Amino acid sequence: MKNTFVLLIALMITRLLSAQQFEPNYDESKVPKYILPDVLTTFNGKKVKSVKVWENKRRPELLDYLTENMFGKVPGELKISSVEMLEQADNAYGGKAIRKQVALHFESNGKKLSFTILLFLPKNVEKAPVFLGYNFYGNHTVTSDVNVIISDAWVDNNPSFGIINNQLTEQSRGVRTNRWSIEKMLEAGIGLATIYYGEVDPDKNDFSDGIHPLLYKKNQEKPEADEWGSIAAWAWGLSRAMDYFETDSNIDAKKVIVFGHSRLGKTALWAGATDRRFAAVISNNSGCGGAALSKRAFGETVGRINNAFPHWFCGNFKNYNNNEAMMPFDQHELLALIAPRPLYVASAEDDKWADPKGEFLGAYFASPVYKLYGKKGIVSDEMPPVNQPIQNTVAYHIRTGVHDVTPYDWEQYIRWAKEQLKIE
Ligand code: GCU
């Protein structure tokens, strides 16, 4: 009897403890006290006071640390083996745009991989700046244009879009037009380049498919603990798209703005950090592992993201599961790697899982590096009210609504990009 009682009490305590551990925190007063590493102090305690020291010492050490301990390194070089123009027309969007569908082919280790870039370029611009961003469900979902080719790559099922059997069909054409203000971009003289992210690496915990096997050493079956997860693989794909843009005479490769939402926002940030050819970076609701400070442990945490999506980051990042205090870096330092190039961080009011305040603070604490370059970042640690963007070289807004990409978001991005990149 006594034993059963003790057992019962023990069970209750364990339940209580684990409930605490497993309930995400959405209470500002329960954010742990944390010490944020100073972006302008090197790992061995030296203050960075010049662009030179930032560029030669601090930036490289941060980039190396994040590469080896968070996103993972790309274990070799893999160039485009051939470019194939699958389709091209100059009468898209009622004659306002050129449409191109370009496949990039890769070959290595006896394996092949291809992905297709869909481009809409404003016809009245000789060399168009472009927004480059991955889509979640295939190029044909971003537009109702019937000429857009349907990908045959693996896709996560989504019955509400008619996606079953992990295959894309005609049924999902145009289902995501609300997330891409293509006509507004074209009117502003900016093109869109988009790729289905699953063509570069299917978004599942399986390293036998996607781009990874093309760079395996003999008998390797999965990346080493410091080698690329899926986010680094997707970022790699964006850089290969950039390689192509540099050869396309209709594109101004010096004005490519890399954009992404959510997991693809994390990807856009890493692409911007690792490839300085991207002229500007937009993170839409990127949250944990993106713009949000990990040490706040608000909403999604490092442990949660690594458990739910073990393939996104490299193996070493798991060392920080439920252990954010030990991280010698935080996400403001990922953002700072983008300096002095324009950076836009955006949140949504009801997107607590992504920690809007943590995203704002990420941008705020990255700003001293912008200042070092004589650029204006986020200068106050007070969050702006909803729907009142701050648009400096570092920009931030929090809009009303949920985790999504909306026409409101695009309106802000377009206005800001035009100003920052001097697009006429
Ligand atoms: C999940 C995940 C987030 C991610 C999001 C998305 O919610 O926990 O980290 O940003 O998916 O990509 O939509």
Side-chain angles (χ1 to χ4, degrees):
M1 186 64 194
K2 204 173 146 201
N3 274 354
T4 332
F5 184 71
V6 171
L7 218 77
L8 221 76
I9 297 284
L11 202 76
M12 274 165 64
I13 294 176
T14 341
R15 281 265 167 84
L16 213 77
L17 281 176
S18 66
Q20 255 178 7
Q21 216 181 342
F22 290 113
E23 269 319 300
N25 176 41
Y26 292 121
D27 180 348
E28 200 55 46
S29 72
K30 294 204 177 107
V31 167
K33 292 233 167 325
Y34 60 91
I35 302 165
L36 209 60
D38 173 22
V39 67
L40 289 178
T41 301
T42 65
F43 286 133
N44 55 30
K46 198 166 166 275
K47 281 258 170 229
V48 177
K49 295 195 184 111
S50 67
V51 167
K52 197 169 154 209
V53 178
W54 164 258
E55 294 249 345
N56 296 336
K57 168 90 182 124
R58 180 62 172 154
R59 189 180 187 280
E61 74 173 16
L62 279 172
L63 187 58
D64 284 352
Y65 202 91
L66 266 80
T67 301
E68 280 162 33
N69 297 284
M70 185 167 184
F71 295 97
K73 61 182 184 220
V74 181
E77 201 187 2
L78 183 56
K79 291 191 174 147
I80 302 172
S81 51
S82 66
V83 173
E84 185 183 358
M85 189 62 67
L86 299 175
E87 193 265 349
Q88 189 172 5
D90 66 357
N91 58 353
Y93 284 91
K96 277 184 269 172
I98 298 172
R99 181 185 60 244
K100 292 189 191 186
Q101 303 188 68
V102 190
L104 304 187
H105 299 295
F106 300 88
E107 260 186 76
S108 174
N109 275 346
K111 295 198 165 70
K112 291 182 178 182
L113 183 116
S114 306
F115 61 84
T116 300
I117 312 171
L118 166 66
L119 281 156
F120 288 116
L121 301 170
K123 250 164 67 177
N124 56 346
V125 181
E126 216 182 283
K127 270 174 119 42
V130 296
F131 288 110
L132 166 66
Y134 279 119
N135 61 73
F136 282 81
Y137 289 106
N139 294 347
H140 72 303
T141 62
V142 312
T143 173
S144 44
D145 185 335
V146 296
N147 299 291
V148 176
I149 301 162
I150 301 178
S151 170
D152 57 12
W154 180 93
V155 64
D156 212 1
N157 284 336
N158 185 336
S160 70
F161 289 164
I163 303 169
I164 48 170
N165 302 325
N166 305 112
Q167 258 174 1
L168 291 164
T169 64
E170 196 55 50
Q171 237 188 306
S172 43
R173 186 177 301 279
V175 293
R176 276 285 167 84
T177 48
N178 58 317
R179 282 199 174 184
W180 302 87
S181 298
I182 300 176
E183 281 173 279
K184 288 269 156 48
M185 297 176 196
L186 295 171
E187 273 164 34
I190 309 175
L192 171 69
T194 187
I195 303 161
Y196 168 47
Y197 81 133
E199 289 191 348
V200 178
D201 186 29
D203 192 357
K204 50 186 161 130
N205 188 17
D206 174 353
F207 284 107
S208 66
D209 55 15
I211 193 67
H212 295 94
L214 277 76
L215 285 178
Y216 283 161
K217 291 177 223 73
K218 201 163 180 264
N219 297 326
Q220 190 177 358
E221 284 175 357
K222 60 178 181 25
E224 303 288 342
D226 65 349
E227 288 180 345
W228 51 349
S230 291
I231 293 179
W234 297 322
W236 172 90
L238 294 171
S239 287
R240 301 296 69 78
M242 180 54 123
D243 295 344
Y244 165 74
F245 297 156
E246 291 182 324
T247 68
D248 186 324
S249 60
N250 296 129
I251 295 176
D252 184 350
K254 296 230 152 41
K255 292 188 178 170
V256 177
I257 308 139
V258 66
F259 157 88
H261 168 62
S262 210
R263 69 198 66 182
L264 300 176
K266 310 179 209 296
T267 302
L269 290 170
W270 187 236
T274 50
D275 191 336
R276 296 178 105 177
R277 292 175 299 171
F278 292 115
V281 182
I282 301 172
S283 144
N284 191 87
N285 308 178
S286 63
C288 179
L293 296 179
S294 298
K295 288 178 192 283
R296 281 172 44 81
F298 186 102
E300 186 170 33
T301 58
V302 172
R304 281 171 202 287
I305 204 166
N306 281 332
N307 281 325
F309 307 99
H311 56 295
W312 282 3
F313 299 96
C314 74
N316 283 340
F317 194 43
K318 299 187 172 67
N319 294 335
Y320 299 113
N321 287 357
N322 307 314
N323 196 16
E324 287 88 352
M326 289 310 289
M327 292 172 71
F329 68 98
D330 210 324
Q331 299 309 101
H332 60 308
E333 290 166 328
L334 164 65
L335 302 183
L337 294 174
I338 293 160
R341 292 162 294 155
L343 163 70
Y344 204 130
V345 174
S347 312
E349 195 179 17
D350 301 333
D351 186 17
K352 302 279 187 247
W353 179 242
D355 186 13
K357 184 163 186 194
E359 294 178 316
F360 170 76
L361 290 176
Y364 170 72
F365 284 111
S367 293
V369 179
Y370 282 82
K371 194 169 174 211
L372 203 63
Y373 282 97
K375 303 271 180 190
K376 193 166 178 190
I378 303 293
V379 290
S380 159
D381 63 359
E382 279 278 312
M383 270 179 94
V386 285
N387 303 332
Q388 291 190 32
I390 304 172
Q391 297 200 341
N392 299 324
T393 304
V394 183
Y396 177 83
H397 75 239
I398 175 165
R399 61 154 169 81
T400 39
V402 298
H403 188 69
D404 198 359
V405 195
T406 68
Y408 175 87
D409 293 317
W410 278 113
E411 240 174 73
Q412 314 318 313
Y413 300 151
I414 291 169
R415 179 154 51 95
W416 170 81
K418 283 189 74 162
E419 192 185 312
Q420 293 297 323
L421 301 184
K422 301 189 170 53
I423 297 167
E424 307 280 293

